Amino acid sequence: AQVDLTGKVAFIAGVADSSGYGWAIARSLASAGATIIVGTWPPVLKIFQMGLKKGSFDADSELPDGSKMVIEKVYPLDAVFDTAEDVPDEIKNNKRYAGLDGYTIEEVAKAVEADYGKIDILVHSLANGPEVTKPLLETSRKGYLAASSASAYSAVSLLQKFGPIMNEGGNMLSLTYIASEKVIPGYGGGMSSAKAQLESDTRTLAYEAGRKWNVRVNTISAGPLKSRAASAIGKEPGQKTFIEYAIDYSNANAPLGQDLYNDDVGNSAMFLCSGLARTVTGVTLYVDNGLHAMGMALDSESMSDRNA
C-alpha cells in the first residue's frame, strides 16, 4: 500500500537545519504529499530562513520523484513558553528575539489555525538540557527542571494547544532516546529523566487524546545520528564527541551492524503518521538497528576471547 498524505497538513516543531530527524520526518511526509509547516527556535530563525532563501538546503530537500520539499511557512516557536504571559522581560528584551512576537505554543497554535484551519500531523522534534554534559549527581535543580520543561512538558503543552485544531484520526509524534530506560553515560543533566517522562506521557496522552479528539500519540526511540545538535554534546579537544562514541558503539553491538540515516527515522514516522497505522497509539517504536534489545556489549574486553 502506498502512503498518500495529499491534503494533510503537518506541523513539525523543532526544525532549524537539514541534518536532524525533524527535517527527515518533514521530507518523508512531504514525499507522501503532505503540506509542511514548521516551528523554529527564535534565536536561530533568521539563520534558518536565510539558508532556505539562499538554497543552502536544496540538496537535502530533494524528494524521491526529483521534486523539492517546500516548507510552506516557518513560525517562530519557543516551546518552553505556553502563553504570552509566561515570557519574562529578559527574553522579550533579548536581541536574539528582537522583532519577534507570538512565539509561545498557544500563540503559534492560534496562528496555525488562522492560516490552515485544522492540521493532521503534529511532530515534536525538540529537546534541550542546559547541563546535558553533567552527570545526574552534579545536575542542579534548575538544570534538571529546564531539561524536563524543554524536552518533555513541551510535548504535553503542544498537544494541549494543538489538539483542538487536529482532525480526527490525526497523529502526534515525538522523538525519544534509549537513555530513558538504560544507563547512557554522557547523556546527563536530567535529559535521561526527561526522555523517560516523554515516553510515560506518550502512553497517558494516547489515552486522553484518543478519547477526547480521536488523535493518536506515539514516539520513536531513535538510534544515534550525527546531527548538528547532537554533535554539540560533550565536545572535548582531541576527543570524539558523545554522539561519535554512541554511533561507534551501536555499529559494534547492535543486531544490525549498519549506519542509521535520518531517512530511516523519517520513513518510520511517515508510517506512524499515515492511515496505515490507524490502530497504533501509545507506542514507543525503536528505530535503532535493534540496539535496545541487547543486554551485553559484544565489543567488551571481557568478551574478547569469545569474539576471536
Side-chain angles (χ1 to χ4, degrees):
Q2 289 288 329
V3 174
D4 184 5
L5 298 176
T6 306
K8 307 289 188 186
V9 178
F11 179 77
I12 296 112
V15 177
D17 59 37
S18 63
S19 71
Y21 287 137
W23 180 277
I25 291 170
R27 189 170 56 194
S28 288
L29 297 176
S31 73
T35 296
I36 305 298
I37 54 178
V38 305
T40 300
W41 191 44
V44 297
L45 178 67
K46 283 180 183 169
I47 298 170
F48 181 53
Q49 287 177 319
M50 207 179 303
L52 287 171
K53 200 172 180 181
K54 283 165 50 183
S56 304
F57 309 123
D58 279 2
D60 293 328
S61 299
E62 194 163 319
L63 301 177
D65 65 1
S67 64
K68 293 267 197 303
M69 172 176 73
V70 175
I71 295 177
E72 295 278 345
K73 189 157 185 179
V74 181
Y75 297 83
L77 171 68
D78 193 326
V80 301
F81 303 119
D82 303 314
T83 66
E85 293 73 38
D86 295 333
V87 183
D89 288 339
E90 65 183 280
I91 292 293
K92 291 177 187 172
N93 301 326
N94 187 314
K95 64 182 182 182
R96 300 171 84 190
Y97 287 74
L100 295 174
D101 58 18
Y103 45 76
T104 68
I105 294 175
E106 182 179 73
E107 291 171 298
V108 174
K110 284 178 178 171
V112 169
E113 183 181 21
D115 292 338
Y116 293 92
K118 296 257 186 180
I119 68 167
D120 303 276
I121 296 164
L122 177 64
V123 179
H124 176 275
S125 177
L126 47 91
N128 183 47
E131 298 181 16
V132 67
T133 57
K134 290 184 179 179
L136 194 54
L137 274 176
E138 296 172 17
T139 299
S140 69
R141 181 184 295 269
K142 185 178 178 182
Y144 184 98
L145 294 177
S148 175
S149 171
S151 311
Y153 185 76
S154 55
V156 176
S157 183
L158 266 181
L159 190 54
Q160 274 181 12
K161 305 298 189 287
F162 278 85
I165 66 163
M166 291 184 74
N167 284 315
E168 284 198 25
N171 183 70
M172 179 190 177
L173 181 69
S174 64
L175 290 165
T176 185
Y177 184 48
I178 193 66
S180 62
E181 55 186 282
K182 301 279 172 48
V183 180
I184 308 290
Y187 193 75
M191 279 302 302
S192 56
S193 316
K195 291 300 187 184
Q197 281 177 267
L198 185 65
E199 291 178 23
S200 177
D201 292 344
T202 294
R203 294 184 286 273
T204 303
L205 292 173
Y207 165 70
E208 294 181 2
R211 291 301 178 98
K212 190 167 188 175
W213 300 305
N214 194 25
V215 165
R216 298 178 294 110
V217 184
N218 294 294
T219 189
I220 287 178
S221 184
L225 172 79
K226 199 177 176 184
S227 67
R228 193 176 71 179
S231 297
I233 302 174
K235 180 79 173 154
E236 296 289 336
Q239 284 190 345
K240 291 194 290 188
T241 61
F242 165 80
I243 200 69
E244 287 168 335
Y245 281 115
I247 290 169
D248 289 347
Y249 181 88
S250 180
N251 288 344
N253 296 291
L256 301 175
Q258 60 188 8
D259 287 333
L260 179 78
Y261 298 106
N262 58 12
D263 282 347
D264 295 316
V265 170
N267 291 333
S268 297
M270 179 170 62
F271 161 71
L272 286 173
C273 293
S274 76
L276 295 178
R278 60 180 288 272
T279 60
V280 179
T281 194
V283 159
T284 298
L285 178 67
Y286 297 96
V287 184
D288 65 352
N289 283 314
L291 186 63
H292 70 279
M294 298 301 294
M296 185 177 279
L298 301 178
D299 64 345
S300 168
E301 287 181 18
S302 59
M303 297 278 286
S304 57
D305 290 346
R306 187 182 178 91
N307 293 333

